[in-house]
């Protein structure tokens, strides 16, 4: 399972907090390909800050712990926080933004995104591999929004919307993203 919290500013900047719930009995690393141009701010595994390595393809290599419990069935959190510059709207305050999420080496059974955008905008035409929902579903069964949702178009999760006006070293830190503004929930 993966939960993403994204805060988009009106000038195009975006901060993302990704929280992966991991069960691990054999892997040394979790490989993540961050979106192009993303600046990594923080990484933690099972509540402890860590410094990821990088493979030859530029993907993060996040060192994992082994799952505890009976048969290694317990899960633990892997959290990353990163920022992106994005594209600001044009002089009339109009624009389009694309949100690419990290590409993960392991399958994600349930993906949830909370997207916070400024109140003073009008947002529509969401497209991508995620569905817009009113509430997150349980065990991968979303509660669908009355609005039409995403069409599958690529292997990496993404969402794209139209906006109208109305660094690769992790520094251990705890970051709380603001959760104000209009909220859109997206799920796969």
């Amino acid at each position: 399972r993966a939960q993403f919290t994204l805060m988009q500013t009106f000038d195009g900047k975006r901060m993302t907090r990704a929280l992966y719930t991991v069960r691990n009995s054999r892997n040394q690393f979790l490989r993540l390909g961050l979106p192009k141009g993303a600046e990594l701010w923080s990484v933690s595994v099972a509540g402890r800050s860590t410094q990821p390595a990088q493979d030859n393809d530029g993907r993060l290599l996040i060192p994992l712990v082994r799952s505890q419990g009976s048969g290694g069935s317990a899960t633990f959190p892997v959290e990353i926080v990163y920022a992106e510059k994005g594209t600001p709207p044009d002089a009339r305050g109009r624009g389009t933004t694309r949100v690419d999420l990290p590409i993960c080496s392991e399958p994600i059974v349930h993906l949830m995104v909370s997207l916070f955008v400024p109140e003073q905008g009008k947002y529509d035409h969401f497209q991508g591999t995620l569905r817009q929902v009113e509430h997150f579903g349980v065990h991968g069964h979303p509660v669908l929004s009355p609005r039409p949702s995403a069409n599958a178009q690529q292997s990496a999760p993404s969402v794209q919307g139209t906006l109208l006006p109305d660094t690769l070293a992790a520094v251990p830190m705890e970051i709380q993203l603001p959760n104000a503004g209009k909220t859109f929930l997206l799920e796969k």
Side-chain angles (χ1 to χ4, degrees), residues 38-50:
E39 178 184 354
L40 184 64
W41 284 18
S42 173
V43 178
S44 69
V45 175
R48 305 187 111 186
S49 294
T50 188

Side-chain angles (χ1 to χ4, degrees), residues 45-61:
V45 175
R48 305 187 111 186
S49 294
T50 188
Q51 179 72 35
Q54 195 173 14
D55 70 10
N56 292 336
D57 296 324
R59 293 177 297 186
L60 296 178
L61 297 173

